């Protein structure tokens, strides 16, 4: 797969590999586009690098199933975007839209602030409680776990020791 313009895959300071800025990105600039494979909820696939695309996203062009329902889809990232790590205080935001004419998902990451060369690219993603992982982002806003906030009550007891209130909230 060809390299993504302006980005380098390298060792991450927080987890495995990461995507590092090779040039400056200005706030609001699209940092990169992603590519992937679309799966339905009941398909057999490994979703460790997949974006969850909710069916209730308000997009009238979202593909309905045979019953007219708007199902969730999973977009398994297959390019270097799969190396973008989580942070509780991210420098990018990911967005995805269904392109009904091309019948594919369009995915892109936008800079939430200026990003300087050498900075690792992060976005805030979450796992369901059953597969939550300790977070290593180290930011003041760190939750301690990479978890969907709506699933904290379902968190296995063994992982609860990692959960913490962000430092910003603790200070008040």
């Amino acid at each position: 797969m060809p390299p993504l313009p302006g980005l380098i895959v390298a060792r991450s300071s927080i987890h495995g590999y990461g995507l590092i800025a090779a040039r400056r990105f200005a706030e609001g600039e699209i940092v990169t586009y992603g590519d992937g494979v679309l799966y339905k909820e009941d398909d057999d696939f490994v979703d460790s690098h997949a974006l969850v695309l909710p069916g209730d996203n308000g997009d009238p062009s979202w593909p309905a199933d045979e019953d007219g329902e708007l199902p969730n889809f999973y977009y398994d990232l297959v390019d270097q975007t799969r190396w973008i790590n989580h942070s509780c205080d991210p420098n990018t935001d990911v967005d995805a839209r269904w392109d009904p004419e091309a019948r594919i998902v369009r995915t892109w990451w936008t800079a939430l602030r200026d990003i300087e060369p050498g900075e690792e690219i992060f976005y805030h993603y979450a796992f369901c409680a059953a597969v939550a992982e300790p977070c290593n982002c180290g930011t003041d806003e760190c939750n301690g776990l990479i978890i969907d906030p709506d699933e904290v009550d379902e968190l296995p007891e063994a992982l609860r020791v990692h959960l913490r209130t962000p430092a910003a909230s603790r200070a008040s």
Side-chain angles (χ1 to χ4, degrees), residues 126-132 147-156 160 163:
F127 296 134
C128 66
V131 295
I147 184 172
D148 181 336
D150 294 337
E151 295 202 8
V152 169
D153 292 341
E154 300 169 37
L155 193 61
R160 288 187 179 277
L163 194 58

Side-chain angles (χ1 to χ4, degrees), residues 1-165:
M1 84 186 72
L4 297 173
L7 299 167
I8 300 167
V9 175
R11 283 279 185 197
S12 169
S13 62
I14 64 165
H15 179 75
Y17 290 96
L19 208 53
I20 311 299
R23 69 167 184 84
R24 185 177 190 280
F25 291 93
E27 179 180 349
E29 182 179 354
I30 292 177
V31 173
T32 191
Y33 293 91
D35 193 12
V37 177
L38 197 61
Y39 292 96
K40 295 179 184 173
E41 252 179 321
D42 55 353
D43 288 341
D44 186 25
F45 71 101
V46 176
D47 68 348
S48 59
H49 295 98
L51 298 174
V52 178
L53 306 173
D56 62 353
N57 61 25
D59 182 349
S61 68
W62 196 252
D65 64 16
E66 344 24 269
D67 300 325
E69 298 293 319
L70 298 173
N72 291 342
F73 283 95
Y74 295 83
Y75 193 61
D76 190 18
L77 300 169
V78 297
D79 60 7
Q80 289 94 353
T81 58
R82 71 185 313 135
W83 302 119
I84 301 176
N85 283 311
H86 165 88
S87 175
C88 297
D89 186 19
N91 54 12
T92 67
D93 189 32
V94 64
D95 204 354
R97 296 280 186 267
W98 173 250
D99 181 337
E101 290 179 20
R103 299 202 48 79
I104 61 173
V105 174
R106 305 280 183 192
T107 309
W108 63 97
W109 282 257
T110 304
L112 293 173
R113 60 168 176 76
D114 292 347
I115 301 171
E116 300 301 328
E119 277 189 72
E120 186 169 351
I121 305 302
F122 298 107
Y123 70 107
H124 194 302
Y125 57 81
F127 296 134
C128 66
V131 295
E133 295 180 5
C135 181
N136 298 316
C137 76
T139 67
D140 288 343
E141 289 77 22
C142 186
N143 297 325
L145 286 172
I146 304 172
I147 184 172
D148 181 336
D150 294 337
E151 295 202 8
V152 169
D153 292 341
E154 300 169 37
L155 193 61
E157 195 61 40
L159 289 174
R160 288 187 179 277
V161 303
H162 298 285
L163 194 58
R164 60 182 175 268
T165 304

